[in-house]
Every structure is written in structure tokens, then in C-alpha cells.
């Protein structure tokens, strides 16, 4: 399944989380707290909004308390869990395999196919590489390679 800004907004609503767009100060493009997600209304594309919303939903699902002080290792760990939730939501391994079968090549085209920004795609690949190494078995027939990015498909012996 592909998550768009609209589907993520609907998911937030069904989870009892309000999504409010307003001008945010500083570098933050999104914040989550007490059942409310704030998104900077100056974000120019729905694709970037979806990526930011996915991370803030990740905070809803994985974080607790005020984690704005990123000097505290416990807060950094919560930030990482929220981002990982967003990566798995927006770019699960099976979607990379689907892109392979759709003959999508190149990071720009892959990001467009997945409905994410190139920066979000790269951050997800970096995180998957940290977690799994250079490759991971996606299912019985596919291995996803992270560097270089690609999919190896195995065929059962007959």
C-alpha cells in the first residue's frame, strides 16, 4: 500500500490525532504532542507533507514525553524509533520489490514511485543499511540490496 498525505491524515484521524497546519518557527517542519500533529503550512508539496506526517505519526506510535532536547540519548533513541516507523510505513521492503518488478530505476524515479522525497528515500536507505547491513532478504524470492540499491530475484530450482 502506498501512503499519501490524505491516507495518512485519515489514519491520524481514526487514531484520534488531530493534524493542524500552521506556520512553525525554526527548523521544525512538524511536531507531535498530546494527540496533535502540527505541520508547517509552508511545506510546498504533498509528498513532503506525507513524509513529515509519517514521522510525526511515528512519534504518536513510539514516543512519550518531550523529546525536543536531542542532547539526551533517550530522546535521540525515541527520534530514531519514530523515523524508523515512518520509513517502514512509507517504504516497506515489499514496495522496493514492487518497484523492481515495475522496472523502476534510479533514485528520482523510485522516490516518485514510492511517493516520498529523495531525501526521505535516502534517509530510509541509510537507516535500513545501519539495521540490516548491505542487504536483507525481503521474502522467499527477493533480496534487497542497499549499496548499490537494487533487488536480486531468485528462482526456485525445478
Amino acid at each position: 500500500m502506498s501512503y499519501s498525505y490524505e491516507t495518512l491524515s485519515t489514519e491520524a484521524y481514526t487514531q484520534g490525532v488531530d493534524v493542524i497546519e500552521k506556520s512553525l518557527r525554526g527548523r521544525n517542519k512538524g511536531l507531535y504532542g498530546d494527540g496533535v500533529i502540527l505541520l508547517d503550512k509552508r511545506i510546498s508539496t504533498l509528498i513532503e507533507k506525507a513524509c513529515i506526517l509519517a514521522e510525526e505519526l511515528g512519534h504518536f506510535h513510539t514516543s512519550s514525553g518531550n523529546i525536543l532536547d536531542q542532547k539526551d540519548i533517550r530522546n535521540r533513541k525515541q527520534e530514531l524509533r519514530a523515523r524508523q516507523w515512518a520509513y517502514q510505513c512509507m517504504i516497506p521492503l515489499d514496495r522496493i520489490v514492487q518497484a523492481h518488478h515495475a522496472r523502476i530505476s534510479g533514485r528520482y524515479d523510485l522516490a516518485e514511485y514510492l511517493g516520498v522525497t529523495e531525501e526521505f528515500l535516502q534517509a530510509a536507505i541509510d537507516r535500513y543499511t545501519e539495521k540490516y547491513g548491505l542487504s536483507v532478504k525481503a521474502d522467499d524470492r527477493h533480496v534487497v540490496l542497499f549499496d548499490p540499491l537494487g533487488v536480486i530475484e531468485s528462482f526456485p530450482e525445478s
Side-chain angles (χ1 to χ4, degrees):
M1 172 171 195
S2 179
Y3 284 96
S4 66
Y5 179 72
E6 291 80 18
T7 57
L8 289 167
S9 295
T10 300
E11 180 181 325
Y13 177 78
T14 61
Q15 298 281 327
V17 177
D18 292 324
V19 178
I20 300 169
E21 293 187 32
K22 63 180 275 179
S23 292
L24 298 179
R25 291 188 200 143
R27 297 181 352 180
N28 288 322
K29 293 184 177 185
L31 294 168
Y32 169 76
D34 299 326
V36 176
I37 292 174
L38 298 177
L39 291 178
D40 193 328
K41 70 179 184 179
R42 295 169 294 191
I43 299 171
S44 60
T45 69
L46 286 177
I47 289 175
E48 185 178 6
K49 281 184 183 182
C51 294
I52 303 297
L53 181 53
E55 183 181 333
E56 298 312 321
L57 278 171
H59 285 293
F60 165 72
H61 288 290
T62 67
S63 303
S64 62
N66 180 340
I67 66 166
L68 290 175
D69 178 8
Q70 288 294 297
K71 292 177 187 158
D72 185 326
I73 188 137
R74 294 169 297 190
N75 294 346
R76 286 197 309 270
K77 285 181 179 180
Q78 287 194 67
E79 184 67 33
L80 181 60
R81 276 195 302 273
R83 287 185 182 172
Q84 185 166 305
W85 187 96
Y87 301 146
Q88 290 172 333
C89 171
M90 300 294 285
I91 310 173
L93 295 175
D94 67 322
R95 292 278 291 140
I96 296 173
V97 171
Q98 287 173 2
H100 165 75
H101 286 290
R103 306 222 185 278
I104 303 299
S105 63
R107 290 177 191 261
Y108 174 83
D109 290 337
L110 180 58
E112 186 174 312
Y113 178 83
L114 297 169
V116 298
T117 64
E118 288 182 81
E119 295 80 15
F120 188 90
L121 174 62
Q122 186 58 55
I125 291 167
D126 292 346
R127 179 60 189 136
Y128 285 153
T129 303
E130 288 172 11
K131 183 176 181 180
Y132 300 116
L134 293 179
S135 66
V136 64
K137 191 171 183 178
D139 58 33
D140 291 341
R141 293 185 46 214
H142 301 93
V143 173
V144 175
L145 304 174
F146 298 115
D147 190 21
L149 184 60
V151 175
I152 296 175
E153 188 170 354
S154 64
F155 297 95
E157 295 180 27
S158 22

